[in-house]
Amino acid sequence: MSWVKLLAGFALCANLPWALAQNNASQRTALIVGIGQYGSPDIPSLSGVVHDFDSARKMALAMGIDEKNITVLRDAAATKANILSQFKRLSDITPEGARAFIYFSGHGTRWQDPQAGGCVEGLLTYDGQTLTHKEIAQATDKLSQKADKVIALFDACHSGGVTNAGTRSMTAPLSAPLFAPKFFLKAGAGQDMCSQPSNMVSRSLFGEATRLNALAENFVQITSSRPDEVSFDEPGKGGLATQGIRDCLLGKAKDLDGSGAVSMTEIQICAQNTINAKLKNVAGLTPHHVSVRGARNLIPVAVVKPPPEPEKPVAISLALVAPAATPFTPAPAPLPALSPVKPAPSAQPPKPTALKPPPAPPAPVVAWVDEPLEEPRMTETDATPWSVSVATLRDVEQQKNPRRKLDVQLSKSRLQIGKDTLDLSIKSSHDGYVYLVLLGSDAQSFYVLFPNGLDKANRIKANQTLRLPKPDWQVKAAGPAGTDQLLVIVSDTPRQMDSLTLAEPTSAAPFTYSLNNLQGRTALIRYLTGANTRARSESFGAKLLSIQEVL
């Protein structure tokens, strides 16, 4: 182990039954809008949209949204007035700190807007009106202010295609019956000029929402194609982007960094591979590109598929330190130092080595203007135990709500092994519950330092300082030399212990079980992000700190 000396130990059990997040987060909401048949005969129908409803519903359920919280507008019901009304209703019914999912499948369009100095895009409603991103952002402004996270998925396109070489367009007539473009240019809206990207002024929902005070870390916009591309509807199956995102979100996506959860970036990569495969041998077509803006590191589904059976946990004995006696707390009898219990040869962990500090996490993606998007650069690699473990803690930290301000101060960021003890102070902008998770420098285990079997009183009041550890339990550096990662969380609501079971401390069982395997990392993410709570608010503040252990 790295360094933990407690008055008593507790067990972290990763042996939990697998379940999708839909069984746990009933406060989340969704609005699903699809238009396959338009009111005007001049607007081409999209026969695949009927299948998109089922796909969107499956995605909503997988995101933890109960059936009763899903609202659907289909074809004739999806007029501009009705859609705007339902956006406002969604803002009203979504509890403070919950998540919301918005889905649209149908035609996109683009028209000339002299005030914008070019062509702007929007969604085409059943009654032939246009719904601009600015109007959507205004109708959902209240939602963006109160929700923990908003995920908006638009399977539509805003370009009719261009004919210049190298562009994504549908030029082969034989391909037309197979894939229908999800774009319609209204008469008098600029004619062909606005189906070309040359003078485009993009006004994406993400850009409009952030202009209206939505936080980039709390908002995700997923679009089926880039602004100058055509996205396609496949008869009998639905939108290509919807198919790809659905399958990847429900289990096809790979956990590329081994963190124990799948982020929106990893789902984007998976969905793009699906679209590429679909259009690989289709004459005259090249793939359109799924784009993700905002909180690309968001984890939409905590568990995407059952992890493999866990390895036999390695029991780690802890040396015990009795606290100094006080007038209020009798000092316990002296406790002996215990040697580590050696596991079976097959489960013997590798010899720990001193590790260099990990690189700083990437800055959150915050786009205040509509600049060209870069493709994500993430590939599947042979991740080291250290990198996948740090990725787990970073994944958790990046689910935080920036409106929950957290100030954490270490009395020392360099601790001498065998001498110095952990000491930190925590102040939160909101009332909440404090959780401390340690990844030791040996990268063998995660330790939930607080709450623990001895001290479960983890409540904190807004703007009041909490000092940890408390007088009746201590944490002392014990090596090896290297870098520890300490994750501090203050959540609006307490986390449920069904995935991590605390055991009462005894002098005979001062140990934790290693959680540094796939199932353990998944369990830790579920526990810390509140994926197993039915509370109204899922919001939390978080801060990841580095601590050096030195000889």
Side-chain angles (χ1 to χ4, degrees):
M1 58 171 283
S2 162
W3 62 282
V4 178
K5 291 188 178 182
L6 295 176
L7 178 62
F10 50 90
L12 301 181
C13 300
N15 186 19
L16 72 159
W18 173 76
L20 282 175
Q22 70 237 38
N23 296 324
N24 302 305
S26 63
Q27 301 300 318
R28 298 179 178 185
T29 58
L31 174 62
I32 297 172
V33 181
I35 312 171
Q37 300 293 330
Y38 280 81
S40 171
D42 296 331
I43 304 175
S45 61
L46 297 169
S47 62
V49 171
V50 64
H51 302 282
D52 289 336
F53 285 105
D54 182 61
S55 296
R57 176 182 167 276
K58 288 178 179 177
M59 287 189 279
L61 293 175
M63 289 179 188
I65 303 170
D66 284 352
E67 187 80 54
K68 62 182 177 61
N69 292 338
I70 301 174
T71 301
V72 176
L73 291 180
R74 179 172 179 174
D75 292 343
T79 63
K80 180 174 182 175
N82 283 350
I83 294 173
L84 288 174
S85 176
Q86 288 301 321
F87 280 144
K88 293 178 180 178
R89 176 179 176 273
L90 188 70
S91 302
D92 291 335
I93 67 173
T94 302
E96 176 80 23
R99 288 190 180 185
F101 174 50
I102 297 171
Y103 175 85
F104 177 90
S105 178
H107 283 301
T109 188
R110 180 175 286 130
W111 63 95
Q112 177 73 10
D113 185 350
Q115 292 184 347
C119 298
V120 297
E121 72 268 8
L123 305 176
L124 193 66
T125 62
Y126 173 82
D127 48 347
Q129 298 193 60
T130 51
L131 187 61
T132 68
H133 293 308
K134 183 176 182 179
E135 289 171 321
I136 297 173
Q138 290 173 339
T140 58
D141 182 44
K142 179 180 176 182
L143 176 67
S144 298
Q145 298 298 319
K146 65 189 295 194
D148 179 64
K149 299 288 185 290
V150 177
I151 303 172
L153 170 53
F154 294 158
D155 195 343
C157 63
H158 303 297
S159 175
V162 291
T163 58
N164 295 331
T167 58
R168 284 82 182 173
S169 63
M170 184 168 64
T171 58
L174 292 178
S175 300
L178 299 178
F179 302 100
K182 305 184 81 170
F183 173 84
F184 178 74
L185 182 63
K186 295 180 66 178
Q191 299 302 324
D192 290 341
M193 180 181 65
C194 283
S195 68
Q196 312 295 323
S198 58
N199 68 333
M200 181 194 65
V201 178
S202 176
R203 300 295 185 194
S204 71
L205 175 59
F206 176 79
E208 296 293 350
T210 53
R211 290 182 184 95
L212 290 176
N213 300 318
L215 297 180
E217 298 89 341
N218 290 354
F219 196 93
V220 184
Q221 177 184 308
I222 310 161
T223 52
S224 57
S225 60
R226 294 170 178 167
D228 63 341
E229 293 180 335
V230 177
S231 54
F232 295 106
D233 175 73
E234 184 176 12
K237 295 185 178 180
L240 295 188
T242 293
Q243 293 178 54
I245 295 170
R246 175 202 64 201
D247 293 345
C248 295
L249 190 144
L250 294 179
K252 186 178 177 181
K254 294 181 179 180
D255 178 12
L256 297 177
D257 60 4
S259 66
V262 173
S263 69
M264 277 309 314
T265 295
E266 290 164 326
I267 290 173
Q268 177 187 10
I269 292 169
C270 172
Q272 190 59 53
N273 290 337
T274 300
I275 294 172
N276 293 348
K278 278 269 188 180
L279 297 177
K280 183 177 181 180
N281 297 316
V282 179
L285 300 184
T286 54
H288 51 88
H289 293 76
V290 173
S291 299
V292 178
R293 309 191 70 178
R296 294 179 181 174
N297 295 310
L298 177 73
I299 300 171
V301 178
V303 181
V304 294
K305 56 186 174 183
E309 289 298 317
E311 300 175 0
K312 183 178 180 181
V314 180
I316 301 176
S317 297
L318 306 180
L320 306 182
V321 177
T326 68
F328 308 101
T329 305
L335 297 171
L338 303 177
S339 300
V341 176
K342 294 183 178 180
S346 62
Q348 185 76 30
K351 184 178 180 180
T353 57
L355 297 171
K356 296 180 180 179
V365 178
V366 181
W368 300 103
V369 295
D370 297 298
E371 74 285 358
L373 300 178
E374 294 184 359
E375 289 299 303
R377 295 179 176 87
M378 181 182 293
T379 58
E380 192 168 11
T381 60
D382 295 326
T384 65
W386 176 265
S387 66
V388 298
S389 303
V390 174
T392 298
L393 297 183
R394 286 178 179 164
D395 268 6
V396 174
E397 183 193 29
Q398 289 165 352
Q399 310 311 302
K400 68 183 179 183
N401 187 335
R403 290 191 172 90
R404 304 301 188 263
K405 305 295 183 182
L406 194 58
D407 180 29
V408 182
Q409 300 294 329
L410 290 166
S411 61
K412 291 183 178 180
S413 60
R414 291 171 58 87
L415 301 179
Q416 186 174 348
I417 295 171
K419 178 180 179 181
D420 293 331
T421 57
L422 178 68
D423 182 38
L424 69 155
S425 60
I426 303 169
K427 182 182 289 187
S428 170
S429 62
H430 292 67
D431 290 352
Y433 300 82
V434 178
Y435 297 86
L436 303 185
V437 178
L438 173 75
L439 170 65
S441 58
D442 59 359
Q444 294 300 307
S445 303
F446 292 101
Y447 300 93
V448 177
L449 299 183
F450 185 66
N452 55 54
L454 181 69
D455 185 358
K456 298 178 182 178
N458 63 331
R459 195 81 167 89
I460 189 172
K461 291 291 186 181
N463 300 315
Q464 293 185 9
T465 300
L466 175 66
R467 192 83 172 266
L468 291 175
K470 296 179 184 177
D472 53 351
W473 58 279
Q474 302 175 21
V475 181
K476 181 180 288 186
T483 304
D484 305 311
Q485 297 292 312
L486 181 68
L487 179 64
V488 182
I489 284 179
V490 176
S491 61
D492 286 5
T493 52
R495 297 323 190 203
Q496 302 299 315
M497 294 297 183
D498 58 348
S499 59
L500 297 176
T501 304
L502 296 183
E504 291 300 325
T506 67
S507 59
F511 56 84
T512 68
Y513 290 129
S514 172
L515 285 178
N516 200 0
N517 54 37
L518 177 60
Q519 186 168 0
R521 292 190 290 273
T522 298
L524 191 69
I525 288 176
R526 284 177 55 79
Y527 169 61
L528 294 175
T529 60
N532 54 353
T533 180
R534 301 184 68 87
R536 291 175 63 87
S537 177
E538 303 175 46
S539 292
F540 62 87
K543 188 168 185 179
L544 185 59
L545 307 170
S546 294
I547 302 172
Q548 298 294 322
E549 289 191 69
V550 297
L551 296 174

